[in-house]
Amino acid sequence: ELKVEQNPLFLSMQEGKNYTIYCNYSTTSDRLYWYRQDPGKSLESLFVLLSNGAVKQEGRLMASLDTKARLSTLHITAAVHDLSATYFCAVDGGAQKLVFGQGTRLTINP
Amino acid sequence: NAGVTQTPKFQVLKTGQSMTLQCAQDMNHEYMSWYRQDPGMGLRLIHYSVGAGITDQGEVPNGYNVSRSTTEDFPLRLLSAAPSQTSVYFCASSDRGLTNEKLFFGSGTQLSVL
């Protein structure tokens, strides 16, 4: 059974700092997705990572995938308040089933 | 372009009542799915469909039914509501399954079962 674990679950950081969110998964998969959710809102797709070594960047966010280590990272560079949200990773569990991590609630303070 | 539309946005039920959560998409997506979101547990897949007439169970299907008579619509039925089904429900769709496409999510339905 595929398990997806994120850490940390809660992260409070200052503007201008860098940090990384980690997403580990338990069984082989070549597809991993990152989503953002603002409070009371729906989920918005950030990145789709489809192969080992894939790296995607959008603004201050960069995501990477290491399928051999079963690990994806979401790196935040020079954080700004607008990035405060909950971030989810999700792994393709086969048979078109997506398994989500618990989410990382990120708060960025001025 | 409306994307994925869910109704209602909020619903309160009494234990034992039944209801249907509606989901419609106008992107001609083949793949549609229902998730529930509970605090600290991420999203869990309830049911999914890879096309009209085809549905299958996800991780937490008990107490829920689905059908897919058209490409556009994928309703979720609660047969006899229980307090454990209090949650936020999201419908999502994508093109060509998950081979290389992201999921588009609806705005969610907040359901409380008393």
Side-chain angles (χ1 to χ4, degrees), chain B residues 31-54:
Chain B
Y31 180 88
M32 296 186 73
S33 55
W34 277 101
Y35 287 86
R36 60 178 287 173
Q37 182 176 27
D38 301 295
M41 300 186 72
L43 281 76
R44 292 181 292 169
L45 181 64
I46 304 171
H47 285 285
Y48 67 100
S49 169
V50 299
I54 306 170

Side-chain angles (χ1 to χ4, degrees), chain B residues 35-81:
Chain B
Y35 287 86
R36 60 178 287 173
Q37 182 176 27
D38 301 295
M41 300 186 72
L43 281 76
R44 292 181 292 169
L45 181 64
I46 304 171
H47 285 285
Y48 67 100
S49 169
V50 299
I54 306 170
T55 64
D56 206 345
Q57 296 181 350
E59 181 184 358
V60 287
N62 292 341
Y64 308 95
N65 272 359
V66 292
S67 59
R68 185 94 179 268
S69 56
T70 66
T71 299
E72 294 78 20
D73 299 298
F74 191 44
L76 178 72
R77 297 182 185 86
L78 279 70
L79 308 173
S80 177

Side-chain angles (χ1 to χ4, degrees), chain A residues 31 33 35 37 42 95-96, chain B residues 31 37 48 50 98-99 103 106:
Chain A
R31 299 185 184 93
Y33 306 78
Y35 289 87
Q37 185 180 36
S42 187
Q96 303 187 347
Chain B
Y31 180 88
Q37 182 176 27
Y48 67 100
V50 299
L98 296 178
T99 53
L103 285 173

